[in-house]
Amino acid sequence: MAALEKQDEVLIVNRRTGKALQCTGLDNGQVVVQAAPSGEDAQVWSVVKGKEGVKLMNKASGKVLDVMHGSTEAGAWVQTWEDVDGQSQVWKLARATATYKKIVNTLSGNVLDIVDMREDDGAPTQIWEDVEGLGQQWKLVELAEFARKGIQTRTHSAKSSEPDPAEAPAPKAPRTKKAAAQAAAPVEAPVKAPAKRGRKPKAEAAPKAEAPKAPAKRGRKPANKT
């Protein structure tokens, strides 16, 4: 790669787990894992631009993000290695949402992912085919921003389909003054609380012949995760 341009230092945070990409050592061949964001040098990366893509250089080791043995197979682990201008060390940052990116290896076309969709600290990273998973989406958080605010990201379960609040559209303003007044008015609690499960409702002054209705459910059943 030629005409390299060093960018601001960032933490690279996984959307599903909320954990940061971390180097595990200073030598060549050290596995890259995820860990709780701390801002330590092992978690800080510089995005170095080139004509074919970017290199991600670790602050602690001075080495770049690479794929073990230059593999192109899905499931190959990711490591740090000295910059040798290898194609397996070149990545593209592809837009996933307004906030998150996919990190695509230019040699294989596979994306940066977490092994077995693990959520624990120390889980290794790999390349895998793009399946539009939340574990394949990453947020680049500038180090200066992290120092001020910490990580502002939502953790998702592996099968969750719930949208990220950061990606939700802003609510529309009411069209009329009456609608605006109704939207601003506090929601009143129901007059009668739902009957408790397992207890027969109290008889009315003039009981009806039909059996009493089943007590109201307390809430919606959560949607099945996909």
Side-chain angles (χ1 to χ4, degrees):
M1 290 175 64
L4 297 179
E5 179 185 350
K6 188 173 180 179
Q7 303 297 298
D8 292 337
E9 296 176 326
V10 297
L11 272 66
I12 303 175
V13 180
N14 187 267
R15 180 175 183 179
R16 187 172 64 85
T17 66
K19 298 185 186 297
L21 205 63
Q22 178 172 303
C23 173
T24 57
L26 304 182
D27 296 329
N28 283 333
Q30 300 300 304
V31 177
V32 176
V33 302
Q34 67 172 4
S38 64
E40 61 187 275
D41 287 354
Q43 293 183 352
V44 177
W45 304 81
S46 293
V47 182
V48 183
K49 289 185 178 181
K51 290 183 179 179
E52 300 176 9
V54 301
K55 294 180 181 180
L56 299 172
M57 181 177 294
N58 185 261
K59 184 175 182 178
S61 66
K63 295 179 169 55
V64 298
L65 197 69
D66 189 17
V67 181
M68 286 188 174
H69 308 299
S71 176
T72 59
E73 295 183 4
W77 284 19
V78 174
Q79 64 181 359
T80 48
W81 197 272
E82 62 185 289
D83 186 357
V84 293
D85 278 329
Q87 191 68 29
S88 63
Q89 299 177 336
V90 183
W91 306 79
K92 289 185 178 179
L93 303 179
R95 187 183 189 277
T97 71
T99 303
Y100 294 92
K101 298 183 182 299
K102 298 174 187 178
I103 301 177
V104 186
N105 186 259
T106 59
L107 179 62
S108 66
N110 290 326
V111 299
L112 186 65
D113 191 16
I114 306 295
V115 169
D116 296 330
M117 296 189 297
R118 285 168 52 180
E119 299 187 5
D120 56 303
D121 285 4
T125 55
Q126 63 181 358
I127 54 169
W128 196 263
E129 59 187 278
D130 184 357
V131 294
E132 301 292 341
L134 297 182
Q136 298 179 336
Q137 297 179 21
W138 303 83
K139 182 178 181 181
L140 275 60
V141 182
E142 291 187 5
L143 185 60
E145 179 184 351
F146 173 75
R148 293 194 306 269
K149 302 179 182 179
I151 295 296
Q152 302 295 325
T153 187
R154 183 184 177 98
T155 301
H156 292 258
S157 64
K159 298 181 180 180
S160 173
S161 60
E162 181 183 356
D164 191 314
E167 306 303 325
K172 295 182 179 180
R175 295 183 179 179
T176 65
K177 292 182 179 180
K178 183 178 179 180
Q182 290 175 345
V187 178
E188 296 181 357
V191 176
K192 293 183 179 180
K196 296 182 179 179
R197 295 181 181 177
R199 294 182 64 182
K200 184 177 181 181
K202 293 182 180 180
E204 301 290 340
K208 297 180 180 180
E210 66 270 18
K213 295 181 179 179
K217 294 181 179 180
R218 296 183 178 178
R220 291 184 180 178
K221 183 178 180 181
N224 291 330
K225 295 180 179 179
T226 59

